[in-house]
Amino acid sequence: MMRFLLIAAAVIAIYFLPAGLKNYGIYIVTLWSVYVIAGMGLNLTVGYAGQISLGQAAFWGIGAYTTAIALKAGLPFLAALPLAALLCFGVGLLLGFPALRVQHHYLAFATLGFNILVYLVLRNEDWLTGGSFGINNIAEPTLLGWRISRPLDFFQFTWIATVAMGVLMALLLRSPWGRAFAALRDNPIRAESVGIDTTFYTLLAFAIGAAYAGVAGAFFACLVGFIEPAPFGVNTSLSMLLMVIAGGSGRFFGPAIGAMIVVLIPEWLRFAAEWYLAIFGVMIVVMMVWLPGGILSLPERLRGAK
Amino acid sequence: MTALLDVQAMQKAYGAIRAVDGVSFSVASGEILGVIGPNGSGKTTLFNAILGQVLPSAGSVAFEGHDVTGSKPLHLARRGIGRTFQSLQVFGKLSVRDNLIAAGQEFGTGKFARLFAAPEAGLGPRAEEIIALFRIGHVAHLPAGSLSYGQQKLVDIAMAFMSRPRLVLLDEPCAGVNPALIDQLTELLRRLNREAGTTFIVIEHNMDFVMNLCSRVICMAQGRILAEGPPAEVQANRAVLEAYLGA
Amino acid sequence: MTDFLQLIVSGTATGACYALAALGFTLLWQASGTINFALGEMVMLPAFIMLFFIGPAGLPLPLAFAATLVVSLIILGAGFKRLVVDPMIRHGVIPLVIATLGLSIALKQTVRIVYSAQVYTFPSIFSETLLSLGGAKLSVSDVGTVVIAGGLVLALQAFLNGTLTGRAMQAVAQNRDAAVVLGINAERMVLYAFLVNAGLAATTALLVTPVYLAKFDMGDTLGLKAFYAAIIGGFNNSRGALLGGILVGVLENLVGAYISPGYKEGVALLLFLGVILFKPEGLLGKAEERKV
Ligand SMILES: Nc1ncnc2c1ncn2[C@@H]1O[C@H](COP(=O)(O)OP(=O)(O)O)[C@@H](O)[C@H]1O
Ligand SMILES: [Mg+2]
């Protein structure tokens, strides 16, 4: 109960907090919120179901482009959003098939390869994606006739969606499916022997994770108003994985913490000017050496050290 | 009356090694069959070939009159065959209680119904029953991976019973378990056999356990059946003694 | 037709370099289960170290290479193992993936700051003459690269199969516990694998940088191609890496010239996805059956 109240307070505080920020600050917080959605999906695939995915940014891109193209075609945002999610769900299902055959490094590179393939399509198929010029002037979303154009409004809209996606994820993880995902992660052979259809759950872990990235992509497209292939490359997938691991993979609030690391720390490190990415890289190495379970494993780690 | 499980001319070869080399036997409903034999004689491989964990090179398996040769472990589980493994195989990060529910939740209703089912899928009472039966109540809330070896072994065995299987295959259930627990386990299996009518095939090196529990014993050596019969008879068999002494 | 031959030869040369890097990657994986995402940077860094020895330090190329080799073995071989891999390996694959990723960012960005994002030319160990072969013009550097890289791969294979140390390294890769029981110093064999990886990376730098040119992000594509080559050819076979590398190099050249330059980078990828789906053990690899 205490826990529930704390979470509710945090959710409300974050809803109102950015009101005091300038537009750039609001943009950063909105970006964080978008990353949290994509990260929750990846956390399902990686942290709960025990798969490896280095292709989350590809789904993020598919979601963003689908939304941009649908909005250009005159569809309302509330129609484009499920379209993006559904398309990503379908493609994610397909990406699950290699995972049935291979594991570990093979799976890492299969998903990474998939990401590059999607990137190449985004860059080369001008007729659909605008090639390296991308798609600009993406419409602001409209909800029941209300046009969301102020940055703060758009943040609050994104945040409500993030919380809703979080609630759905929590329900999924509490359901028997959540237990089946964990069983798949902990011991696939044992899982099969007690009747758990590991094929089905592997595919679904990828597909649901991808659908979350698709939703994140839809919000991202509207946030930036202009999309090009660059943000959807392998580097972003790696950041997203970093986000999940650094926050604490297989922990519900891991992606929210991890997204802060990925979005906010580079901002804070700006004082270091050109050195900031190098410092960031070293921080990642140090953190993985010292705290491989992620930030949320810190309390256990401290307790264990005593 | 047809046998519950019927294995014919089972073979499994790994390259030149014939781990199982033409094994035939059948088990009647309600029996407790023991499988003994020196290490490397092919007992585990026989289980794996029966249970679809590895594809048999030749031979057939029938369960309740249906041909299930090469069926996937998943389908055999759904048909009512449970198993335990020689090495520990629990879901390490899940609690003991969740391990049990995970082992029972995929039977019955369809997958999509389960997405909307209550978190415990209605299996709370069944889990409590099994927890009481195996006397693991004091650790039920702990992650299974954090328990001692013997406790994990009990959880591993308990999981096989969640779905009320008609046949359970146990691979060395007593290995690494302390003597007091072995007596408890003997009692438990006998009771499940008597009250729920569960049929067992048990691989075990502990001869007291086998003599106490089994109604019939098969001894394997080098992938084949060396002797078969009532426990006392097999134990007294010269060929069996020689196989164990490494003749 | 002569174009075609030239494309094949230069593709083979590039591919042979992919193969060298790929080989280091498979060695590390086999010896210690390390997936090294900083592989490309482990080629990029020696290139810049060599530039330093040639430029400010004024050494001739062969000496600069020798000095670079020593530095690489110490930093990218032993140092990498001690400081990054050893503390993390027991936590499984993913933390190490992330850490090597962080390492790759750090190395890339440090070089970018020290040397700027500029492109540097790099001296070749080969002369710039062209060989004439039945009307086709082949560059000495392409042919030389193939000879050196191919020779190294074969020499390494001979070492792994023909010497006691090489066999011990393979034994550790296959079954560490059994190797330890047999009295093999597993820790030392794993260290050798890291050293060989560093040596291969430095050599790759020597061979590719004249063509790729030295730039802080030159490792990005190189690392990726090397991963693909390793998986396409087969992980448990050093000739597999050579085959995979050359296949990728040649096909890229052909697709770039005859089909679409835009999808040149996609070739390795499609080949790779095909292999993963239909023959995950790689073209020359042996399937391993999983044990319960
Ligand atoms: N996956 C495998 N690959 C190769 N050989 C195997 C494999 N599994 C088992 N074997 C071999 O099959 C034989 C029988 O092993 P196993 O069935 O485990 O014996 P047991 O359970 O009776 O001790 C042994 O010689 C073992 O080495
Ligand atoms: Mg056995």
Side-chain angles (χ1 to χ4, degrees):
Chain A
M1 193 62 208
M2 191 60 207
R3 190 179 151 86
F4 177 79
L5 286 179
L6 265 174
I7 294 169
V11 164
I12 294 168
I14 292 171
Y15 182 87
F16 289 109
L17 203 73
L21 294 176
K22 298 207 182 67
N23 279 354
Y24 184 70
I26 295 176
Y27 166 80
I28 291 292
V29 182
T30 316
L31 190 63
W32 169 77
S33 188
V34 167
Y35 265 104
V36 173
I37 301 178
M40 281 194 289
L42 189 59
N43 196 22
L44 177 73
T45 316
V46 174
Y48 287 99
Q51 309 297 310
I52 297 184
S53 172
L54 294 179
Q56 189 75 343
F59 297 114
W60 196 42
I62 293 174
Y65 272 88
T66 306
T67 306
I69 293 166
L71 290 179
K72 286 267 175 222
L75 252 61
F77 183 77
L78 284 187
L81 183 69
L83 202 64
L86 221 59
L87 188 63
C88 286
F89 185 89
V91 181
L93 216 49
L94 290 181
L95 186 66
F97 279 96
L100 299 176
R101 300 195 43 114
V102 297
Q103 272 153 2
H104 303 307
H105 52 303
Y106 290 101
L107 185 54
F109 287 113
T111 52
L112 189 134
F114 162 77
N115 200 145
I116 296 174
L117 205 61
V118 169
Y119 177 81
L120 288 178
V121 170
L122 294 182
R123 203 190 60 193
N124 290 333
E125 300 303 319
D126 296 18
W127 60 276
L128 184 66
T129 65
S132 35
F133 296 111
I135 300 175
N136 53 20
N137 292 326
I138 298 167
E140 287 146 353
T142 322
L143 273 192
L144 312 168
W146 174 48
R147 200 179 174 83
I148 305 177
S149 53
R150 276 176 47 210
L152 186 61
D153 291 340
F154 185 72
F155 163 74
Q156 289 173 338
F157 177 45
T158 310
W159 180 237
I160 291 171
T162 306
V163 173
M165 295 301 281
V167 170
L168 282 180
M169 181 60 75
L171 290 175
L172 173 69
L173 291 173
R174 269 173 59 88
S175 81
W177 280 32
R179 197 178 293 107
F181 286 131
L184 167 67
R185 170 196 66 200
D186 281 1
N187 195 331
I189 291 176
R190 185 49 160 159
E192 279 277 320
S193 82
V194 292
I196 296 174
D197 188 344
T198 50
T199 302
F200 175 82
Y201 287 109
T202 305
L203 294 179
L204 263 286
F206 274 95
I208 299 174
Y212 268 69
V215 171
F219 281 92
F220 180 72
C222 293
L223 171 66
V224 289
F226 156 68
I227 52 172
E228 45 149 356
F232 309 116
V234 171
N235 283 339
T236 310
S237 281
L238 297 174
S239 305
M240 285 181 172
L241 186 64
L242 165 66
M243 199 167 102
V244 169
I245 305 293
S249 120
R251 293 166 193 271
F252 190 78
F253 292 102
I257 306 289
M260 279 185 206
I261 296 179
V262 169
V263 178
L264 297 183
I265 292 198
E267 296 296 324
W268 292 336
L269 285 176
R270 289 221 184 270
F271 74 88
E274 57 178 358
W275 280 96
Y276 89 97
L277 268 176
I279 297 176
F280 186 54
V282 173
M283 279 175 59
I284 295 171
V285 179
V286 171
M287 171 162 161
M288 281 296 110
V289 170
W290 185 65
L291 204 65
I295 296 207
L296 288 178
S297 74
L298 193 57
E300 282 158 40
R301 165 94 191 212
L302 293 179
R303 233 176 291 136
K306 254 183 247 164
Chain B
M1 195 200 111
T2 58
L4 183 67
L5 183 79
D6 189 45
V7 177
Q8 286 301 323
M10 178 62 72
Q11 271 191 29
K12 175 68 196 177
Y14 290 109
I17 303 173
R18 291 207 191 142
V20 175
D21 191 8
V23 169
S24 305
F25 69 93
S26 62
V27 188
S29 193
E31 247 193 305
I32 302 184
L33 174 68
V35 179
I36 61 170
N39 282 321
S41 57
K43 304 179 300 292
T44 297
T45 308
L46 175 65
F47 268 23
N48 285 339
I50 292 172
L51 290 161
Q53 205 77 58
V54 299
L55 220 52
S57 313
S60 68
V61 185
F63 181 65
E64 297 183 323
H66 302 277
D67 180 27
V68 293
T69 317
S71 275
K72 293 211 283 179
L74 161 71
H75 299 301
L76 292 169
R78 300 243 173 105
R79 276 184 182 275
I81 307 182
R83 83 167 296 188
T84 70
F85 292 80
Q86 181 173 346
S87 50
L88 284 180
Q89 305 280 347
V90 294
F91 304 125
K93 288 191 185 155
L94 293 181
S95 72
V96 168
R97 198 186 155 90
D98 273 325
N99 266 270
L100 292 175
I101 293 173
Q105 70 176 26
E106 305 286 318
F107 298 82
T109 56
K111 287 192 196 79
F112 291 98
R114 269 195 296 281
L115 177 57
F116 301 102
E120 296 206 325
L123 286 170
R126 175 67 181 162
E128 288 309 323
E129 212 176 294
I130 295 280
I131 286 170
L133 197 60
F134 282 81
R135 302 194 203 150
I136 43 180
H138 54 297
V139 292
H141 60 285
L142 296 176
S146 69
L147 306 183
S148 73
Y149 185 92
Q151 287 169 326
Q152 288 195 42
K153 196 92 190 181
L154 272 187
V155 174
D156 195 350
I157 298 170
M159 281 163 76
F161 292 97
M162 274 301 288
S163 59
R164 302 176 202 276
R166 287 185 293 289
L167 172 67
V168 177
L169 280 67
L170 301 139
D171 196 346
E172 303 200 11
C174 301
V177 174
N178 74 49
L181 221 52
I182 292 180
D183 288 342
Q184 187 197 329
L185 193 63
T186 311
E187 208 33 60
L188 207 75
L189 295 182
R190 205 180 271 142
R191 199 171 136 195
L192 282 160
N193 175 255
R194 201 173 50 229
E195 289 170 11
T198 315
T199 306
F200 293 102
I201 307 177
V202 192
I203 296 177
E204 190 43 68
H205 288 299
N206 182 325
M207 272 318 213
D208 288 343
F209 180 82
V210 174
M211 304 302 279
N212 265 335
L213 186 68
C214 300
S215 45
R216 191 159 60 98
V217 172
I218 287 175
C219 175
M220 285 185 70
Q222 297 178 345
R224 294 165 190 255
I225 295 185
L226 195 63
E228 180 176 352
E233 213 169 278
V234 171
Q235 199 190 22
N237 188 316
R238 262 191 65 107
V240 171
L241 280 172
E242 275 168 20
Y244 266 103
L245 296 176
Chain C
M1 190 59 214
T2 60
D3 275 0
F4 182 72
L5 193 62
Q6 271 155 353
L7 285 172
I8 299 260
V9 172
S10 72
T12 309
T14 323
C17 295
Y18 295 160
L20 278 187
L23 206 52
F25 181 69
T26 57
L27 274 178
L28 283 199
W29 165 258
Q30 291 183 344
S32 67
T34 306
I35 298 183
N36 178 16
F37 261 98
L39 178 63
E41 281 62 45
M42 293 200 170
V43 174
M44 178 275 290
L45 198 63
F48 277 92
I49 297 176
M50 248 182 288
L51 274 182
F52 169 80
F53 282 126
I54 295 167
L59 296 182
L61 183 57
L63 274 183
F65 175 66
T68 306
L69 198 58
V70 173
V71 176
S72 297
L73 291 181
I74 295 171
I75 300 178
L76 301 178
F80 174 56
K81 175 174 183 292
R82 287 280 142 74
L83 297 178
V84 180
V85 177
D86 283 351
M88 236 175 309
I89 193 71
R90 66 207 154 82
H91 297 293
V93 178
I94 295 186
L96 204 49
V97 165
I98 299 287
T100 54
L101 199 74
L103 187 66
S104 124
I105 297 177
L107 291 178
K108 237 182 339 205
Q109 296 303 325
T110 307
V111 169
R112 189 180 60 110
I113 294 158
V114 176
Y115 277 88
S116 85
Q118 203 184 321
V119 177
Y120 293 83
T121 55
F122 193 92
S124 171
I125 50 172
F126 303 107
S127 70
E128 291 194 6
T129 38
L130 294 177
L131 292 173
S132 203
L133 193 93
K137 296 253 183 298
L138 303 179
S139 87
V140 170
S141 102
D142 282 349
V143 176
T145 302
V146 174
V147 170
I148 292 186
L152 261 177
V153 171
L154 296 180
L156 188 65
Q157 200 179 18
F159 166 73
L160 288 175
N161 293 328
T163 67
L164 223 52
T165 312
R167 293 238 193 84
M169 285 173 69
Q170 287 192 325
V172 171
Q174 270 154 25
N175 187 336
R176 191 180 171 124
D177 296 337
V180 171
V181 170
L182 292 175
I184 295 172
N185 184 343
E187 215 27 55
R188 159 140 341 140
M189 296 305 138
V190 173
L191 177 63
Y192 288 163
F194 276 81
L195 293 179
V196 172
N197 174 53
L200 287 172
T203 314
T204 310
L206 179 71
L207 294 176
V208 292
T209 323
V211 185
Y212 263 63
L213 304 178
K215 194 177 174 218
F216 75 99
D217 63 357
M218 66 182 272
D220 286 356
T221 33
L222 197 67
L224 207 60
K225 299 292 167 54
F227 297 142
Y228 289 151
I231 288 171
I232 290 168
F235 250 80
N236 40 23
N237 187 322
S238 40
R239 268 174 313 165
L242 188 60
L243 175 73
I246 290 177
L247 262 180
V248 170
V250 170
L251 281 177
E252 268 182 354
N253 259 6
L254 296 181
V255 169
Y258 297 119
I259 300 177
S260 146
Y263 280 105
K264 185 179 169 187
E265 297 149 57
V267 177
L269 198 64
L270 287 179
L271 205 57
F272 162 82
L273 288 176
V275 166
I276 284 229
L277 285 177
F278 300 109
K279 203 168 183 305
E281 68 275 13
L283 296 178
L284 294 185
K286 279 192 255 18
E288 295 162 13
E289 196 161 351
R290 203 156 50 148
K291 224 172 164 174
V292 180

